[in-house]
Amino acid sequence: MTLLIPPRTQDIGFTVKRLLPSRIKQRVGPFIFVDHMGPAHFEAGTTAGDVRQHPHIGLATVTYLFSGAMMHRDSLGSVQRIEPGAINLMTAGKGIVHSERLPEDIREQHDTVEGIQTWLALPTAVEDCDPSFAHYAADEIPSVNLPALSARVLIGSAFGVESPVKTASKTTYIDLSLGAETKYQPDFPQQELAIYVAWGNVTVNDEPVPEYHLAVLDEHAVISTVSGARILLLGGEPLDGERFILWNFVASSREKVRAAGERWTNGGFEMVPGEVEWIPLPTMS
């Protein structure tokens, strides 16, 4: 283990635990943003938890729910309900706008909403690509069950199976459930890797990794459990060059993120069909 990153609490309409970017580590492979959303409940007849339309450039968002559901809408005209176990991949490229709202049945039933949202920074060669949207239902995501370990291979290849999710650079993203007194040593040459502990007692090379912490791994990392755990293994090939972040924008230059902010303020993005509410560019100190 090379770094241990604690969560920071953020309020985006509901509470999230933010791991990346952090002051000590901006990204792991292409992962430049990691949020653990919830668990949370929302009152019927309200809009609590809804995220109004907002823009992105230079990244791909990946939404993966443990429970509940969300409704995705974007400026391409995509409308998609996201259910637990599915992968929702939205590639922003040169610019996209989307909203994320709670379905009425989730509010009415007072269902728990919980999941992981990440951003993948795009390689510089394709950061200005046309935006796109892809959704992969839960039954399209391959799973593997071993005696002391079960895995869902969300992105990439592992345990002899390959995810259908296509990304702009080599990426690994695996939902792992480990049994009691289990050891697992990841083997992904030339990739930067980290684990996020969603729950359970975990050590890396005999050093404890508390729940809700992100541990950046070295190439000889051995992950061990005492009484079982659920972890997310994430990473991929390192990206070339620097990345700059301004609000929801990621790019290889400061000029690009600043220009995106001005473009949003001046109404230069295509908006989500049928929506009128939008989030203004925050005042940056």
Side-chain angles (χ1 to χ4, degrees), residues 77-89:
S78 311
V79 179
Q80 179 64 57
R81 183 181 171 107
I82 311 170
E83 301 276 3
I87 287 287
N88 197 82
L89 179 72

Side-chain angles (χ1 to χ4, degrees), residues 4-216:
L4 184 63
I5 301 173
R8 308 186 323 275
T9 301
Q10 302 283 320
D11 188 346
I12 61 168
F14 57 98
T15 300
V16 301
K17 305 173 189 72
R18 181 157 300 166
L19 289 307
L20 290 178
S22 81
R23 292 180 179 177
I24 57 175
K25 185 75 172 176
Q26 186 195 59
R27 62 187 192 262
V28 178
F31 287 85
I32 198 166
F33 179 96
V34 177
D35 264 7
H36 183 167
M37 307 178 293
H41 300 88
F42 301 95
E43 291 185 24
T46 73
T47 59
D50 283 358
V51 181
R52 295 165 291 160
Q53 57 182 328
H54 58 280
H56 292 284
I57 68 163
L59 56 87
T61 65
V62 182
T63 304
Y64 180 62
L65 296 182
F66 296 158
S67 62
M70 298 180 73
M71 186 63 73
H72 165 96
R73 292 182 174 86
D74 64 42
S75 51
L76 300 176
S78 311
V79 179
Q80 179 64 57
R81 183 181 171 107
I82 311 170
E83 301 276 3
I87 287 287
N88 197 82
L89 179 72
M90 184 187 73
T91 302
K94 62 187 179 184
I96 199 168
V97 176
H98 74 135
S99 65
E100 298 159 301
R101 298 181 184 276
L102 275 296
E104 287 306 311
D105 60 303
I106 297 299
R107 295 183 189 279
E108 293 290 339
Q109 297 164 20
H110 208 55
D111 289 343
T112 302
V113 180
E114 183 178 13
I116 305 291
Q117 187 164 68
T118 62
W119 296 352
L120 308 177
L122 298 177
T124 53
V126 298
E127 67 177 347
D128 295 320
C129 67
D130 290 334
S132 62
F133 173 79
H135 182 80
Y136 303 84
D139 60 8
E140 297 179 71
I141 304 300
S143 60
V144 175
N145 293 301
L146 301 175
L149 177 156
S150 64
R152 303 189 75 239
V153 182
L154 310 180
I155 303 175
S157 301
F159 305 106
V161 300
E162 182 175 358
S163 170
V165 179
K166 304 302 180 186
T167 54
S169 62
K170 182 172 282 189
T171 303
T172 295
Y173 193 23
I174 305 172
D175 183 357
L176 283 164
S177 294
L178 305 176
E181 298 182 353
T182 297
K183 292 185 183 296
Y184 169 61
Q185 185 169 8
D187 183 19
F188 298 87
Q190 284 78 57
Q191 294 193 43
E192 297 177 334
L193 295 172
I195 60 166
Y196 174 67
V197 180
W199 63 264
N201 296 309
V202 175
T203 63
V204 173
N205 296 341
D206 298 322
E207 298 179 54
V209 181
E211 286 184 336
Y212 313 134
H213 283 58
L214 187 79
V216 181

